[in-house]
Amino acid sequence: MSEQQLPVVVIGAGPVGLAAAAHLVERGIEPLVLEAGPAAASAVREWSHVRLFSTWGEVTDPAAEKLLAPTGWTKPDAATYPSGGDWAEQYLQPLADALGDRVRYGTQVTGVSRTGRDRIVDADRESQPFVLHLTTFDGREERLFARAVIDASGTWTTPGPAGVSGLPALGEKAVADRVTYRVPDLKDPAVRARYVGRRTAVIGSGASAFTALATLADVARDEPGTHAVWILRRGISGSTFGGGEADELPARGALGLAAKAAVDNGHADAVTGFRTEAVERAEDGRLILVGEDGRRLDPVDEVIVLTGFRPDLSFLSEVRLGLDERLQAPTALAPLIDPNQHSCGTVYPHGHKELSHPEQDIYLVGMKSYGRAPTFLAMTGYEQVRSVAAAIAGDLESADRVELTLPETGVCGGAGLFDDPAAGQAGGGGCCAPAPALVQIGIGAPASSGGC
């Protein structure tokens, strides 16, 4: 079989991976999607209870819609907000079904390389197809070959720790029974019981933390004794709660304001300038957070750690990636998304050029392309794979063209600047946002950390 007859392997049957497959099919290129889970969008299903802050109109891909049309699929109301579960069941699984046997489940990619060439070897490298090693759900090992690889495996399986240095806090692993790295589903009675009438620390400052604070505040209104302690590495400023009414995704802006309401209404205390160094278990089994400055907080019953995600690069060790040393994102993309850079507004839409590597024909897309950077949107990923599919097809005119305008965040200043005391004094980085107005958001309202 010639290399051109080999499939383009897509790693991950999530929103961006399935969109990549749809764009490849549209261009007459055969994809093979490898999904570690038992169904499409396995990661999305793990936060099925969380509502997206993007509408249906912003989380479906045009090429995917074309592929779905002959199946009788009807697009949900474009102005409404799906939950993660809605997204998986009403769009992503039908899309995977439309792709048919081009999607394989229960298949974990354990390694990617060039056939007969490890990372070191230069000779005749680019003429060799890719080889992927796989482990199936029943433990069998396989290999297959590909003309190109699109890694859309995301970052869900590798959440950030509580520790301020990027490493787990001392004692964090030992108290794993009291720590979660996901937004809990407080509608689930078994999960809810962990938090009702108890004191919970929420570590993090992004949309996931806002969601956790808002949902805990909802519980606190009905269940006496339920209280949140919001752990912030920086002080509170004009940008702490996001862009508010200046955010062009209204539900995203409202989500931050709901977190502000949780604090203002007394359902959560904000502990500022606290950088977690250790977690200790008290005599009664509760947890004590210790800061690098020696501060010891009052005991809590549970800890929710929402400090972002990072890419799993372990199975890509034999291919030559060009990654930024800080973000672990493609080198050309990193300056556009670097939270250490002061930037007002949004990320410039990008495609195959920004996603390319020294190793030709391998692309990291979707959440994984952002490395450790936050604020990824599904529509960003859809534009990425449209461009990448065009590049693989040799249509560079289309691949180079930008076909997307992203909504403004309403926030100036990247998250990386917020650890800088000087940056925090300068108006809080909120030059784009007016003073936020309070709104209340219930558990069932648009409030998502789901990368969309």
Side-chain angles (χ1 to χ4, degrees), residues 388-414:
V388 166
I392 292 173
D395 183 358
L396 294 183
E397 180 181 354
S398 177
D400 292 344
R401 191 167 57 241
V402 174
E403 297 183 1
L404 175 66
T405 301
L406 292 172
E408 299 282 343
T409 64
V411 176
C412 285

Side-chain angles (χ1 to χ4, degrees), residues 335-360:
L336 302 179
I337 61 175
D338 188 351
N340 291 289
Q341 299 294 322
H342 177 82
S343 60
C344 188
T346 189
V347 176
Y348 184 79
H350 51 275
H352 76 108
K353 287 184 177 179
E354 293 82 1
L355 299 170
S356 63
H357 295 277
E359 192 84 70
Q360 291 187 14

Side-chain angles (χ1 to χ4, degrees), residues 4 31 51 86 88 109 133 171 179 182 216 269 282 290 350 389 397:
Q4 291 302 308
R51 196 168 297 279
D86 296 334
V109 176
H133 283 205
V179 180
R182 307 286 189 260
L216 285 169
D269 297 324
V290 183
H350 51 275
E397 180 181 354

Side-chain angles (χ1 to χ4, degrees), residues 47-64:
W47 50 269
S48 61
H49 59 289
V50 178
R51 196 168 297 279
L52 280 69
F53 51 63
S54 294
T55 63
W56 270 114
E58 295 159 332
V59 296
T60 59
D61 174 81

Side-chain angles (χ1 to χ4, degrees), residues 60-104:
T60 59
D61 174 81
E65 291 185 24
K66 291 179 185 177
L67 191 63
L68 282 164
T71 70
W73 178 79
T74 301
K75 183 175 181 176
D77 183 349
T80 60
Y81 294 88
S83 66
D86 296 334
W87 202 19
E89 291 299 330
Q90 298 178 38
Y91 168 64
L92 297 171
Q93 189 62 58
L95 177 55
D97 293 343
L99 287 163
D101 59 8
R102 298 183 178 101
V103 181
R104 284 184 55 180

Side-chain angles (χ1 to χ4, degrees), residues 175-258:
V175 299
D177 59 314
R178 295 291 187 92
V179 180
T180 184
Y181 299 87
R182 307 286 189 260
V183 176
D185 182 1
L186 298 182
K187 289 184 177 180
D188 182 327
V191 175
R192 188 182 179 93
R194 288 183 59 171
Y195 303 95
V196 166
R198 296 184 178 181
R199 183 177 166 88
T200 299
V202 178
I203 303 176
S205 58
S208 295
F210 295 163
T211 303
L213 289 165
T215 53
L216 285 169
D218 279 345
V219 174
R221 281 189 282 271
D222 300 326
E223 303 285 354
T226 304
H227 197 77
V229 181
W230 188 17
I231 311 299
L232 289 161
R233 294 176 181 175
R234 60 184 186 269
I236 291 180
S237 67
S239 59
T240 297
F241 301 98
E245 294 175 343
D247 195 321
E248 291 186 5
L249 291 179
R252 181 172 61 185
L255 179 57
L257 300 180

